[in-house]
Amino acid sequence: MAACATATRGLQQLLVLSALGFLATSAPQPPNIVLLLMDDMGWGDLGVYGEPSRETPNLDKMALEGMLFPNFYSANPLCSPSRAALLTGRLPIRNGFYTSNGHARNAYTPQEIMGGIPNSEHLLPELLKKAGYTNKIVGKWHLGHRPQFHPLKHGFDEWFGSPNCHFGPYDNKVKPNIPVYRDWEMVGRFYEEFPINLRTGEANLTQLYLQEALDFIKTQHARQSPFFLYWAIDATHAPVYASRPFLGTSHRGRYGDAVREIDDSVGKILSLLQNLGISKNTFVFFTSDNGAALISAPKEGGSNGPFLCGKQTTFEGGMREPAIAWWPGHIAAGQVSHQLGSIMDLFTTSLSVAGLKPPSDRIIDGLDLLPTLLQGHMMDRPIFYYRGNTLMAVTLGQYKAHFWTWTNSWEEFRQGTPGDPDSGTHFDWKGIDFCPGQNVSGVTTHTQEEHTELPLIFHLGRDPGERFPLSFASAEYQDTLSRITQVVQQHQKSLIPGQPQLNVCNQAVMNWAPPGCEKLGKCLTPPESVPEKCSWAH
């Protein structure tokens, strides 16, 4: 791995200098960067990935004009850790966006969680400031809601959006509705000043987020300032919503309405870049934070195509994402790259686009994809699938090894809760099922099954649905196990977990707490005095 990185560093630097024109006597303005991050959008939600309704003409055109990644992954099957990984270039286990409350437990940042992105982490917008960028986030932050975690304290110059998703509505007595901010000022709350009609699905939020993006691009272009736009909208997160002109227009129902409005918005953003004459100086990347939430499907969730399960799992449906890169004049049109990509690569690649190097005082998990984007080069790299504090699986090449399998507990599956526990809304009472209609014996287990001695190994090319594990006795299995074992050992040898930021002692939030923690009724932060068994070290 290290040797590969060293061997390609010179090539990467030359590609960057050449592509950006830095070899000229007078250095031009560095390229603008636009990252379009969707929420719970699945691999199979775009026409270009085979969605049969073909209702995403603008995103399909974006792929036709750029590069499509069929093998692009999140760093976690849940929203907060995934976003922390994108903006730091580091696995959540390193940047602290995980919980140690239990083995392989998912966690995020609801109002009850007091943790957030640590000051010790270097976020992408902070680093881009060194190259003169003006940075804006539009939409969902999800890296902590306390004042010290505010995005404007972590490199962003502007913000219009919310610290959380559009959960609710709440009664504003025990729990208030989620606030919406413009920079430092709270300008309203979801379901109040920013209405969402749960019955009809009507909300104007995507249009507001679109206008924020368009206005920001126009302003920075007039200022001749390089900009970073992080457009992190949440219309495809349950409860899904769309504005009135899009409601009822999709063959896929309300979720499809939301996707159609997103597609239209992306088309308008790209058209503006072209009309302003800055498309050739703007790197754009489209992806999602995790797989589609099948627990909310089919009315409120998307499609993960041929892949197994969905959000909250480390099967392919939970972590393989749609991904499109677009940079006219630099990325040749109509390409498909089978490079294994990660959402963490957007950190390192964006820095490379800006002519910057990643921090050298820590391990950065994201790769610089410019050699792939500009010259079609392929790089060997593993994909690590973490769920909370546990390495669940690893992909190397076309082989994926599961060291642990688990969907969710039998208790959750049988008893059920109202809808998606990450949605904050109340749907029909049903059991929690992360893999509806996809039971694979011995694989989609409701108990945590350990396979560290003999991992379940799948060839994802022949078996993308993870249904037919290789025979333990086969030479193919033995050879793959040997190669993956070396990669895992190297990874674990260098791993220093960050202090967990997402611990909780509240059964109402995470449906689990260590014995004795229930009565605390609040989230734990490092300075608090708590029972030892509830502490951050356990």
Side-chain angles (χ1 to χ4, degrees), residues 93-139:
I93 192 70
R94 298 194 206 273
N95 64 36
F97 259 63
Y98 69 98
T99 179
S100 58
N101 283 148
H103 181 264
R105 296 283 171 170
N106 287 322
Y108 67 111
T109 56
Q111 295 185 77
E112 294 81 0
I113 286 286
M114 305 302 285
I117 193 69
N119 284 331
S120 58
E121 292 296 323
H122 298 316
L123 271 64
L124 178 59
E126 297 175 50
L127 300 172
L128 289 175
K129 277 184 173 292
K130 297 178 181 179
Y133 280 74
T134 301
N135 309 310
K136 178 161 186 165
I137 171 174
V138 175

Side-chain angles (χ1 to χ4, degrees), residues 190-228:
F190 290 134
Y191 301 97
E192 297 175 25
E193 292 82 0
F194 297 91
I196 303 171
N197 188 318
L198 293 182
R199 184 180 63 83
T200 65
E202 182 178 351
N204 206 41
L205 289 168
T206 299
Q207 291 303 306
L208 294 177
Y209 294 148
L210 170 61
Q211 196 58 50
E212 289 289 325
L214 299 178
D215 290 346
F216 177 71
I217 292 171
K218 292 174 186 176
T219 299
Q220 301 314 312
H221 173 62
R223 292 179 53 202
Q224 296 187 340
S225 169
F227 62 82
F228 167 44

